[in-house]
Structure formats: structure tokens, C-alpha cells
Amino acid sequence: MATGYAELLRVRHAARLLAGTLLGRLPNATAPLAIVLFVRAEGGSYTLAGVLSAVYGLSNAVGQPLLGRAVDLWGQPRVMLPAALLSGLGMAVLALAGVESLPVACAAAAVAGLFTPPLEGGLRALWPSVLKHPDRVHAAYALDAVAQEVMFTLGPLAVTVLVALWSEAAALLVINALGVLGALSVVVSPPSRRWRSEPREAHWLGALRSGGLVALLGSFFFVGLALGTIAVAAVAYADGHGDELISSYLLSALGAGALVGGLAYGARTWAGEPETRLRALVAALAAGYLPLALTPGPVAMTVLAGAAGLFLAPALACAFVVVDRHAPSGTVTEAFSWLVTSFGVGAAAGTAVVGPVIEWGGAPAGFLVAGAGGLAALLVLLATRRALAAPAPPPPAAPSPDAVVRVEGDRNGGAGAGFKNGHQA
């Protein structure tokens, strides 16, 4: 397994693009915690911290698909670097101006969220041109999902270290400066500068005119809802056992399970249609969430959390393949950005919904909501089976003289077949 991933990362530009994207997404991964710590250090209430975090999150949800569409139209460097600079500027204004002026603080958080560059979707759009082969692309999607789990685990740790060494304001500034550097590393790379989207049909719905993509987004809204619910329910479970560290154990076990599952999933080649495989993975995901409602002792609960996480990264990696297959031509970055938005909005909805449920029924009821979210995600996939049928291959186009020349060049040792939305064209 390790050898396979090492070979993938040895492909020219692959390691740089993955590392730059993860670094560039660090502000997004740490924003909720960093904003809360900063507001509390400035003397603000938890209510104000929640408001600013919500403003950032909602703005981010709006901005990702819009910026993704802009990337498909104008390329990565023209959109991502200015967006990263504006997002970093928004957080800098918040860090330097503080929270005395609520309109300024809200505007700064909104700018930071709205202009967060769509690096996640951009990386998945780049993989086909960098890795050249669908099997490698699928393995990269799995590695991407695993790296995401690592980032969301280590990112908050980096914030706490920066707060301990300097201050909450310095943590905001440093994290966002690193984010700009990460985005810069990606957009100045040759693959990013060369990448161009496929020709697209002008349509106001953009990627959302694909019924299969809309079905997938509906399903992963509920996957996000389940995860947002688990995060809050874990805290309630820890409070019930009188040890707040237990919530960290549960969430770490969930992330470790996703890490193991994602690495194992990406280490092999899978036969059959990914749409069918996705239904099986989401069913396994739902089956893993439901036992959490039993809320046994902390040791057994930690084991259950690890088992519940096993199918998260594989489901995400498979979803990336399905997005790639169903995104209309010329909308691949936007389509991936919609998946990010759907997942994030679902997680926010989960954290909002589960609070009253826990007040009523305690931690078991909270975890039951997570299981219900997993089941709802599966039901969406089952109900939209027709929309998510494997897309028909496009009809072959008559070769142009240039294409004939390229084919002859390939026969004589030239470049291999091209890709369209992550698949060989």
C-alpha cells in the first residue's frame, strides 16, 4: 500500500500540488476554532463567536461554487490567487480591528469566507492531467480524502500551538498567511498554469443541470449532517461521563478510522460502476453510525467511533469519481466545489439541529440523529438510482487534421490519450 502511494507522489508535480492545496486550505479547516478563540480573547461572547463563525461558513458555502465556475471559465491562477489574497485580507482585518465594531467584524469574516479559493475542487480537476491514468486518479482521490482527515486533525492543533506561542490574533494572521503561500504554490505550478476546462455549454445552472450531480449533492448533505451531529453529540457524551477529553478520543478515533479506510480503499483497483459502489459504501457508512446511539462505556464507544469512520474517506473518494463522471463538460471545478458546499452546509445544519435533540434525549438521541442522517443519505441514492445511472459515453467526433497528427505522434511514442473530466477521452 505504502509503495503504491509513494509511486503516485513521485509523479512530477503530484506531491507539490497535494501539499500546496492542503496548506492553502488550512485557513478553512481552522477558521471555526480560530475565530472562537480570537473573539473570546477580545472579550466577546460565545454568541458573537458563533455569529462570526456562521457568517464565515455561510459566505464560504456561497463562494465555493461561484469561484469554481469562475475557475472553469478563466483558469486557476486568474481566480485562485486574487481570491486567496482577498480571503487573507479579510481575516487580517478581523485580527487587527477586533470585534468592537460588529459591522466591520462581520464584513471581514464574510470576505474571508466568500473568497476562500476553491483549491479542493481545483486539485481534483488537475489530477487527470498530472497522473495520466484513471487508476492513478482514483487512488489520488482516496489519498486526497485521507489527507483531508489529517488536515482537519492537525489544523486545530496548529492553531492552539500558535496561540500558546503568540496570541489569538497572531494565530489568525499566520494561518492565513500560510494559506496564501499554499495557494501561490499551486497556481504558479506548470499544471495549474496549463490547465484549461473543457468547452462548456452556456447555462445559468452550470454544473447543477446534471441530475446525477444534484442527487449526489443531496446525499452528501446528509452525510455532512451526520458528521456535524457526531461532533456535538461527542461533547455531550463526554460531559455525561465527566471528562471533556473523551470527546477528543471519539473524534480522533473517527478520523483514524477514516484514515485507515481511505488508505485501504485507494490501494486497490475496483471493478464495476462507481455509482453502484457508492451506494454500498454509504450503506456501510450508515450502518457504522447507528451503533453509536447505544453509547456504551468510553473504551467501547471509542472502538465504535473508529469503526464508524472506516467508510467515510472511501465514500468521499468514490463520490469524487462520480462527480467527475456526471459533471457537464466544462464545469468540473464548479461541480467539485458544489460537493464541498453541500457537505459543509449539511455539517452546519447538523450542529444546529442536534442541540435541541440532545437537550431532550441526551447524547444517545444525538447519535441517533447521526444514524438517521446516514440512512437519509442512502435513501437519496436509492431514490435517485435512475439519475445516477452510469453516464453514456459521448459520441465520437470526427477527427480533425490536428487530431490525426496527434494520433500519429502517439503511435510514434508521443503523449498518451487525453482526459475529459478525469476520464480518458
Short mmCIF file of all heavy atoms in Angstrom, two decimals, residues 1-6 8 134-146 258-270 277 281 310 313-315 317-318:
data_model
loop_
_atom_site.label_atom_id
_atom_site.label_comp_id
_atom_site.label_asym_id
_atom_site.label_seq_id
_atom_site.Cartn_x
_atom_site.Cartn_y
_atom_site.Cartn_z
N MET A 1 0.82 -1.20 0.00
CA MET A 1 0.00 0.00 0.00
C MET A 1 0.86 1.26 0.00
O MET A 1 0.67 2.17 -0.79
CB MET A 1 -0.91 -0.01 1.24
CG MET A 1 -1.92 1.12 1.28
SD MET A 1 -2.81 1.18 2.86
CE MET A 1 -3.56 -0.42 2.91
N ALA A 2 1.86 1.28 0.92
CA ALA A 2 2.73 2.45 1.01
C ALA A 2 3.51 2.65 -0.29
O ALA A 2 3.72 3.79 -0.73
CB ALA A 2 3.69 2.29 2.19
N THR A 3 3.93 1.53 -0.90
CA THR A 3 4.68 1.63 -2.15
C THR A 3 3.84 2.26 -3.24
O THR A 3 4.31 3.11 -4.01
CB THR A 3 5.16 0.24 -2.58
OG1 THR A 3 5.98 -0.31 -1.55
CG2 THR A 3 5.95 0.32 -3.87
N GLY A 4 2.56 1.86 -3.33
CA GLY A 4 1.68 2.41 -4.35
C GLY A 4 1.49 3.91 -4.20
O GLY A 4 1.55 4.66 -5.18
N TYR A 5 1.27 4.37 -2.98
CA TYR A 5 1.10 5.80 -2.76
C TYR A 5 2.40 6.56 -2.99
O TYR A 5 2.40 7.69 -3.47
CB TYR A 5 0.56 6.07 -1.36
CG TYR A 5 -0.90 5.74 -1.21
CD1 TYR A 5 -1.34 4.76 -0.33
CD2 TYR A 5 -1.86 6.41 -1.97
CE1 TYR A 5 -2.68 4.45 -0.20
CE2 TYR A 5 -3.21 6.10 -1.84
CZ TYR A 5 -3.61 5.13 -0.96
OH TYR A 5 -4.94 4.82 -0.84
N ALA A 6 3.53 5.94 -2.63
CA ALA A 6 4.82 6.59 -2.85
C ALA A 6 5.06 6.78 -4.35
O ALA A 6 5.56 7.83 -4.78
CB ALA A 6 5.94 5.76 -2.23
N LEU A 8 2.77 7.11 -6.62
CA LEU A 8 1.86 8.16 -7.07
C LEU A 8 2.45 9.54 -6.78
O LEU A 8 2.42 10.45 -7.62
CB LEU A 8 0.51 7.99 -6.37
CG LEU A 8 -0.66 8.87 -6.82
CD1 LEU A 8 -1.98 8.14 -6.55
CD2 LEU A 8 -0.68 10.20 -6.09
N PRO A 134 -6.60 6.74 -15.32
CA PRO A 134 -7.75 6.73 -14.40
C PRO A 134 -7.48 6.02 -13.08
O PRO A 134 -7.93 6.47 -12.03
CB PRO A 134 -8.84 6.04 -15.21
CG PRO A 134 -8.50 6.30 -16.62
CD PRO A 134 -7.00 6.31 -16.68
N ASP A 135 -6.76 4.90 -13.09
CA ASP A 135 -6.49 4.18 -11.84
C ASP A 135 -5.68 5.03 -10.87
O ASP A 135 -5.93 5.05 -9.66
CB ASP A 135 -5.76 2.87 -12.12
CG ASP A 135 -6.67 1.83 -12.78
OD1 ASP A 135 -7.90 1.99 -12.69
OD2 ASP A 135 -6.14 0.88 -13.39
N ARG A 136 -4.71 5.75 -11.41
CA ARG A 136 -3.93 6.65 -10.56
C ARG A 136 -4.80 7.80 -10.03
O ARG A 136 -4.65 8.24 -8.89
CB ARG A 136 -2.75 7.23 -11.34
CG ARG A 136 -1.56 6.29 -11.47
CD ARG A 136 -0.44 7.00 -12.20
NE ARG A 136 0.79 6.21 -12.24
CZ ARG A 136 1.89 6.60 -12.87
NH1 ARG A 136 1.91 7.76 -13.52
NH2 ARG A 136 2.96 5.84 -12.86
N VAL A 137 -5.68 8.30 -10.88
CA VAL A 137 -6.56 9.39 -10.47
C VAL A 137 -7.46 8.94 -9.33
O VAL A 137 -7.63 9.65 -8.33
CB VAL A 137 -7.41 9.89 -11.66
CG1 VAL A 137 -8.45 10.90 -11.20
CG2 VAL A 137 -6.51 10.52 -12.71
N HIS A 138 -8.00 7.73 -9.43
CA HIS A 138 -8.87 7.22 -8.37
C HIS A 138 -8.09 7.05 -7.07
O HIS A 138 -8.61 7.35 -5.98
CB HIS A 138 -9.50 5.90 -8.81
CG HIS A 138 -10.37 6.03 -10.03
ND1 HIS A 138 -10.90 4.95 -10.68
CD2 HIS A 138 -10.80 7.12 -10.71
CE1 HIS A 138 -11.61 5.36 -11.71
NE2 HIS A 138 -11.55 6.68 -11.75
N ALA A 139 -6.86 6.57 -7.16
CA ALA A 139 -6.02 6.45 -5.95
C ALA A 139 -5.72 7.82 -5.37
O ALA A 139 -5.69 8.00 -4.15
CB ALA A 139 -4.72 5.72 -6.29
N ALA A 140 -5.52 8.82 -6.23
CA ALA A 140 -5.26 10.19 -5.76
C ALA A 140 -6.48 10.75 -5.04
O ALA A 140 -6.35 11.48 -4.06
CB ALA A 140 -4.87 11.08 -6.92
N TYR A 141 -7.68 10.44 -5.54
CA TYR A 141 -8.89 10.88 -4.85
C TYR A 141 -8.94 10.32 -3.44
O TYR A 141 -9.32 11.02 -2.48
CB TYR A 141 -10.14 10.43 -5.62
CG TYR A 141 -10.43 11.20 -6.89
CD1 TYR A 141 -11.18 10.62 -7.91
CD2 TYR A 141 -9.97 12.49 -7.08
CE1 TYR A 141 -11.47 11.31 -9.09
CE2 TYR A 141 -10.24 13.19 -8.24
CZ TYR A 141 -10.99 12.59 -9.24
OH TYR A 141 -11.27 13.28 -10.38
N ALA A 142 -8.57 9.03 -3.28
CA ALA A 142 -8.56 8.42 -1.96
C ALA A 142 -7.51 9.08 -1.07
O ALA A 142 -7.76 9.37 0.11
CB ALA A 142 -8.30 6.92 -2.08
N LEU A 143 -6.32 9.32 -1.63
CA LEU A 143 -5.26 9.97 -0.85
C LEU A 143 -5.68 11.38 -0.46
O LEU A 143 -5.39 11.84 0.65
CB LEU A 143 -3.97 10.01 -1.68
CG LEU A 143 -2.73 10.54 -0.97
CD1 LEU A 143 -2.39 9.68 0.24
CD2 LEU A 143 -1.55 10.59 -1.93
N ASP A 144 -6.39 12.07 -1.35
CA ASP A 144 -6.90 13.41 -1.07
C ASP A 144 -7.87 13.36 0.11
O ASP A 144 -7.81 14.20 1.03
CB ASP A 144 -7.60 13.93 -2.33
CG ASP A 144 -8.09 15.37 -2.18
OD1 ASP A 144 -7.86 15.98 -1.13
OD2 ASP A 144 -8.70 15.87 -3.13
N ALA A 145 -8.78 12.39 0.12
CA ALA A 145 -9.75 12.27 1.21
C ALA A 145 -9.04 11.97 2.54
O ALA A 145 -9.41 12.50 3.59
CB ALA A 145 -10.76 11.17 0.89
N VAL A 146 -8.01 11.14 2.48
CA VAL A 146 -7.24 10.83 3.69
C VAL A 146 -6.49 12.05 4.19
O VAL A 146 -6.49 12.36 5.39
CB VAL A 146 -6.26 9.68 3.40
CG1 VAL A 146 -5.24 9.54 4.52
CG2 VAL A 146 -7.02 8.37 3.22
N ALA A 258 -11.29 6.81 9.40
CA ALA A 258 -11.34 7.32 8.03
C ALA A 258 -9.99 7.21 7.35
O ALA A 258 -9.89 6.90 6.16
CB ALA A 258 -11.83 8.77 8.04
N LEU A 259 -8.93 7.47 8.10
CA LEU A 259 -7.57 7.39 7.55
C LEU A 259 -7.26 5.97 7.08
O LEU A 259 -6.82 5.75 5.96
CB LEU A 259 -6.57 7.83 8.62
CG LEU A 259 -5.12 7.88 8.21
CD1 LEU A 259 -4.78 9.22 7.59
CD2 LEU A 259 -4.20 7.65 9.40
N VAL A 260 -7.55 4.99 7.94
CA VAL A 260 -7.28 3.59 7.60
C VAL A 260 -8.15 3.16 6.42
O VAL A 260 -7.67 2.53 5.46
CB VAL A 260 -7.52 2.68 8.82
CG1 VAL A 260 -7.46 1.21 8.43
CG2 VAL A 260 -6.51 2.98 9.92
N GLY A 261 -9.42 3.48 6.48
CA GLY A 261 -10.33 3.09 5.41
C GLY A 261 -9.96 3.69 4.08
O GLY A 261 -9.99 3.02 3.04
N GLY A 262 -9.60 4.98 4.09
CA GLY A 262 -9.23 5.64 2.84
C GLY A 262 -7.97 5.08 2.22
O GLY A 262 -7.90 4.88 1.01
N LEU A 263 -6.97 4.82 3.06
CA LEU A 263 -5.72 4.25 2.53
C LEU A 263 -5.94 2.87 1.93
O LEU A 263 -5.41 2.53 0.88
CB LEU A 263 -4.67 4.20 3.63
CG LEU A 263 -4.07 5.54 4.08
CD1 LEU A 263 -3.17 5.34 5.29
CD2 LEU A 263 -3.32 6.21 2.95
N ALA A 264 -6.74 2.05 2.63
CA ALA A 264 -7.02 0.71 2.13
C ALA A 264 -7.83 0.77 0.83
O ALA A 264 -7.57 0.01 -0.11
CB ALA A 264 -7.77 -0.10 3.18
N TYR A 265 -8.78 1.67 0.77
CA TYR A 265 -9.64 1.79 -0.42
C TYR A 265 -8.83 2.21 -1.65
O TYR A 265 -9.00 1.66 -2.74
CB TYR A 265 -10.75 2.80 -0.16
CG TYR A 265 -11.64 3.07 -1.35
CD1 TYR A 265 -12.69 2.23 -1.67
CD2 TYR A 265 -11.42 4.19 -2.16
CE1 TYR A 265 -13.50 2.47 -2.77
CE2 TYR A 265 -12.23 4.44 -3.26
CZ TYR A 265 -13.26 3.58 -3.55
OH TYR A 265 -14.05 3.82 -4.65
N GLY A 266 -7.95 3.17 -1.48
CA GLY A 266 -7.19 3.68 -2.61
C GLY A 266 -6.05 2.78 -3.04
O GLY A 266 -5.45 3.00 -4.09
N ALA A 267 -5.75 1.75 -2.24
CA ALA A 267 -4.60 0.90 -2.54
C ALA A 267 -4.93 -0.20 -3.55
O ALA A 267 -4.04 -0.92 -3.98
CB ALA A 267 -4.06 0.27 -1.26
N ARG A 268 -6.20 -0.33 -3.92
CA ARG A 268 -6.56 -1.39 -4.86
C ARG A 268 -7.41 -0.81 -6.00
O ARG A 268 -7.96 0.29 -5.89
CB ARG A 268 -7.31 -2.52 -4.17
CG ARG A 268 -8.59 -2.09 -3.48
CD ARG A 268 -9.50 -3.28 -3.23
NE ARG A 268 -10.05 -3.82 -4.46
CZ ARG A 268 -10.86 -4.86 -4.52
NH1 ARG A 268 -11.22 -5.48 -3.41
NH2 ARG A 268 -11.33 -5.28 -5.69
N THR A 269 -7.49 -1.56 -7.07
CA THR A 269 -8.31 -1.18 -8.22
C THR A 269 -9.67 -1.83 -8.08
O THR A 269 -9.78 -3.02 -7.75
CB THR A 269 -7.65 -1.64 -9.53
OG1 THR A 269 -6.35 -1.04 -9.63
CG2 THR A 269 -8.49 -1.23 -10.73
N TRP A 270 -10.74 -1.04 -8.32
CA TRP A 270 -12.09 -1.53 -8.12
C TRP A 270 -12.77 -1.74 -9.46
O TRP A 270 -12.73 -0.89 -10.35
CB TRP A 270 -12.89 -0.53 -7.28
CG TRP A 270 -12.35 -0.37 -5.91
CD1 TRP A 270 -11.38 0.50 -5.50
CD2 TRP A 270 -12.71 -1.12 -4.75
NE1 TRP A 270 -11.11 0.34 -4.16
CE2 TRP A 270 -11.93 -0.64 -3.68
CE3 TRP A 270 -13.64 -2.14 -4.51
CZ2 TRP A 270 -12.03 -1.16 -2.39
CZ3 TRP A 270 -13.75 -2.64 -3.22
CH2 TRP A 270 -12.95 -2.16 -2.18
N ARG A 277 -20.99 1.17 -6.47
CA ARG A 277 -20.09 1.05 -5.32
C ARG A 277 -20.39 2.13 -4.28
O ARG A 277 -20.30 1.87 -3.07
CB ARG A 277 -18.64 1.16 -5.81
CG ARG A 277 -17.61 0.88 -4.73
CD ARG A 277 -16.25 0.59 -5.34
NE ARG A 277 -15.67 1.71 -6.07
CZ ARG A 277 -15.56 1.79 -7.38
NH1 ARG A 277 -16.00 0.80 -8.14
NH2 ARG A 277 -15.01 2.84 -7.97
N LEU A 281 -21.03 1.78 -0.21
CA LEU A 281 -20.20 2.47 0.78
C LEU A 281 -21.03 3.34 1.71
O LEU A 281 -20.78 3.38 2.92
CB LEU A 281 -19.15 3.31 0.06
CG LEU A 281 -18.03 2.54 -0.64
CD1 LEU A 281 -17.20 3.46 -1.52
CD2 LEU A 281 -17.13 1.85 0.39
N LEU A 310 -14.57 4.20 9.30
CA LEU A 310 -13.87 3.42 8.28
C LEU A 310 -14.33 3.71 6.86
O LEU A 310 -13.52 3.69 5.93
CB LEU A 310 -14.04 1.92 8.56
CG LEU A 310 -13.15 1.33 9.66
CD1 LEU A 310 -13.55 -0.12 9.94
CD2 LEU A 310 -11.68 1.41 9.26
N ALA A 313 -13.88 8.14 4.31
CA ALA A 313 -12.95 8.51 3.24
C ALA A 313 -13.20 7.70 1.96
O ALA A 313 -13.16 8.27 0.86
CB ALA A 313 -11.50 8.36 3.72
N PRO A 314 -13.45 6.37 2.04
CA PRO A 314 -13.80 5.67 0.80
C PRO A 314 -15.05 6.22 0.13
O PRO A 314 -15.09 6.32 -1.11
CB PRO A 314 -14.01 4.23 1.28
CG PRO A 314 -13.16 4.10 2.49
CD PRO A 314 -13.24 5.43 3.15
N ALA A 315 -16.07 6.57 0.91
CA ALA A 315 -17.28 7.13 0.30
C ALA A 315 -16.98 8.46 -0.37
O ALA A 315 -17.48 8.75 -1.47
CB ALA A 315 -18.37 7.30 1.37
N ALA A 317 -14.01 9.44 -1.58
CA ALA A 317 -13.18 9.18 -2.77
C ALA A 317 -14.04 8.67 -3.92
O ALA A 317 -13.86 9.08 -5.08
CB ALA A 317 -12.08 8.18 -2.43
N CYS A 318 -14.98 7.79 -3.62
CA CYS A 318 -15.86 7.28 -4.67
C CYS A 318 -16.78 8.39 -5.18
O CYS A 318 -17.06 8.46 -6.38
CB CYS A 318 -16.68 6.11 -4.12
SG CYS A 318 -17.62 5.22 -5.37
#
